[in-house]
Amino acid sequence: MKDIRLIGIDIDGTLLNSAGKISNPTLAQMRRLHDLGVQLVLVTGRRYLTAADICRQLNLPLLVASNNGASLRPLGGSTLYREELDEAATRQVCGEARRLGGFPWAFIEVNDAGDSIIYCEEPTDADSEGYEYDYLRAYFEYWRHYMRVVSDLSAEFVGASVEVVVTVPPNHADRLADALRARFGGQISVIQEHSRGYSQVDAAHPSVSKALPLKRLAEKNNLRPENIMAVGDNLNDLEMLEYAGYPVAMGNAHPGLFELDCRIAPTNDEDGLAHILAEIS
């Protein structure tokens, strides 16, 4: 496989195995490609703070596209771009998501160091309403330092959000995503991601998807889609797989990705990413 000059790599379920580790074969292939001059970009639904922790393990000067492509920056460097929902749109999305049975978290990027503010309502208020309470509470407690708790996000959120993440039971995710698209149309981008026991429906600036950082870098470096590979495993990877000239779905991917015209790699526990990267010369 020749003339691949830009690779967008998802983190969870792709770069990381099911134990949350980067395998030695994967690390070796990424270092080899970096030495060949191929640009590697971690494209993730994570916020920058946690994506950067993974990037540091690679010890490579990579770019990090966080919050499903809403912002892009080099590790430890200044933001190259950030697309945000303004305060009014964020409030409206949070209010509609809550009305539809989701639990919204509104993320603000504070500075280039990766600090965040996460606006939310009190998770215990969701317990009697059928939310995935254990996940909500565990996430809230783990990241409590970053939380700004308000009684009503639709009235009290302040600022511009890089993303609104709505936690919802898996059997309600499609319905909530469709309802948000119907309500807001082209005013927002709606992105879905399914995990074990819960799902996320994310709302962002209308230009945002995981394809966005690849498009921006392609324009900057005069690349065509056939010079670009994308590798992912979840529904939030859909747009970047559709954009890349060489799309790869992991063997452990969400079934929806297998409907695409793309290469299927071995699973993340079978060094699937390493196998694919080894084909690039």
Short mmCIF file of all heavy atoms in Angstrom, two decimals, residues 1-6 224 226-228 280-281:
data_model
loop_
_atom_site.label_atom_id
_atom_site.label_comp_id
_atom_site.label_asym_id
_atom_site.label_seq_id
_atom_site.Cartn_x
_atom_site.Cartn_y
_atom_site.Cartn_z
N MET A 1 0.85 -1.19 0.00
CA MET A 1 0.00 0.00 0.00
C MET A 1 0.89 1.24 0.00
O MET A 1 1.70 1.42 0.89
CB MET A 1 -0.90 -0.01 1.23
CG MET A 1 -2.01 1.02 1.22
SD MET A 1 -2.83 1.10 2.82
CE MET A 1 -3.14 -0.62 3.17
N LYS A 2 0.74 2.06 -1.03
CA LYS A 2 1.63 3.21 -1.18
C LYS A 2 0.86 4.52 -1.18
O LYS A 2 -0.35 4.55 -1.39
CB LYS A 2 2.43 3.09 -2.48
CG LYS A 2 3.35 1.87 -2.54
CD LYS A 2 4.16 1.88 -3.81
CE LYS A 2 5.05 0.65 -3.90
NZ LYS A 2 6.04 0.62 -2.84
N ASP A 3 1.59 5.58 -0.96
CA ASP A 3 1.09 6.96 -1.04
C ASP A 3 0.03 7.29 0.00
O ASP A 3 -0.80 8.17 -0.20
CB ASP A 3 0.57 7.26 -2.45
CG ASP A 3 0.75 8.74 -2.80
OD1 ASP A 3 1.66 9.36 -2.22
OD2 ASP A 3 -0.02 9.25 -3.61
N ILE A 4 0.03 6.60 1.13
CA ILE A 4 -0.78 7.01 2.28
C ILE A 4 0.07 7.99 3.08
O ILE A 4 1.15 7.66 3.55
CB ILE A 4 -1.17 5.81 3.16
CG1 ILE A 4 -2.04 4.82 2.38
CG2 ILE A 4 -1.89 6.29 4.42
CD1 ILE A 4 -3.38 5.37 1.97
N ARG A 5 -0.41 9.21 3.21
CA ARG A 5 0.38 10.25 3.87
C ARG A 5 -0.27 10.82 5.12
O ARG A 5 0.34 11.62 5.83
CB ARG A 5 0.68 11.36 2.87
CG ARG A 5 1.69 10.94 1.81
CD ARG A 5 2.03 12.07 0.88
NE ARG A 5 1.19 12.07 -0.32
CZ ARG A 5 1.11 13.08 -1.17
NH1 ARG A 5 1.78 14.19 -0.95
NH2 ARG A 5 0.35 12.99 -2.25
N LEU A 6 -1.52 10.43 5.37
CA LEU A 6 -2.25 10.92 6.55
C LEU A 6 -3.14 9.79 7.04
O LEU A 6 -3.87 9.18 6.26
CB LEU A 6 -3.10 12.13 6.17
CG LEU A 6 -4.07 12.68 7.22
CD1 LEU A 6 -3.32 13.19 8.45
CD2 LEU A 6 -4.93 13.79 6.61
N ARG A 224 -5.22 14.35 -1.33
CA ARG A 224 -6.48 13.85 -1.85
C ARG A 224 -6.97 12.72 -0.94
O ARG A 224 -6.17 12.14 -0.20
CB ARG A 224 -6.32 13.34 -3.28
CG ARG A 224 -5.80 14.39 -4.25
CD ARG A 224 -5.68 13.83 -5.67
NE ARG A 224 -4.83 12.65 -5.71
CZ ARG A 224 -3.50 12.68 -5.80
NH1 ARG A 224 -2.87 13.85 -5.80
NH2 ARG A 224 -2.80 11.55 -5.84
N GLU A 226 -7.45 9.71 -1.52
CA GLU A 226 -6.68 8.48 -1.73
C GLU A 226 -5.33 8.49 -1.01
O GLU A 226 -4.65 7.45 -0.93
CB GLU A 226 -6.46 8.21 -3.22
CG GLU A 226 -5.87 9.36 -3.99
CD GLU A 226 -6.90 10.20 -4.70
OE1 GLU A 226 -8.00 10.43 -4.12
OE2 GLU A 226 -6.63 10.63 -5.83
N ASN A 227 -4.93 9.63 -0.47
CA ASN A 227 -3.72 9.71 0.35
C ASN A 227 -4.02 9.51 1.83
O ASN A 227 -3.10 9.61 2.65
CB ASN A 227 -3.04 11.06 0.18
CG ASN A 227 -2.68 11.40 -1.24
OD1 ASN A 227 -3.02 12.49 -1.72
ND2 ASN A 227 -2.02 10.50 -1.95
N ILE A 228 -5.28 9.23 2.16
CA ILE A 228 -5.72 9.24 3.55
C ILE A 228 -6.30 7.89 3.95
O ILE A 228 -7.13 7.31 3.24
CB ILE A 228 -6.77 10.34 3.78
CG1 ILE A 228 -6.18 11.71 3.41
CG2 ILE A 228 -7.26 10.33 5.23
CD1 ILE A 228 -7.21 12.83 3.37
N ILE A 280 1.50 -0.52 4.92
CA ILE A 280 1.88 0.76 4.32
C ILE A 280 3.39 0.83 4.17
O ILE A 280 4.14 0.61 5.13
CB ILE A 280 1.38 1.93 5.19
CG1 ILE A 280 -0.14 1.87 5.35
CG2 ILE A 280 1.80 3.27 4.58
CD1 ILE A 280 -0.68 2.89 6.32
N SER A 281 3.82 1.12 2.96
CA SER A 281 5.27 1.17 2.72
C SER A 281 5.68 2.60 2.33
O SER A 281 4.86 3.46 2.08
CB SER A 281 5.65 0.20 1.61
OG SER A 281 4.93 0.48 0.42
#
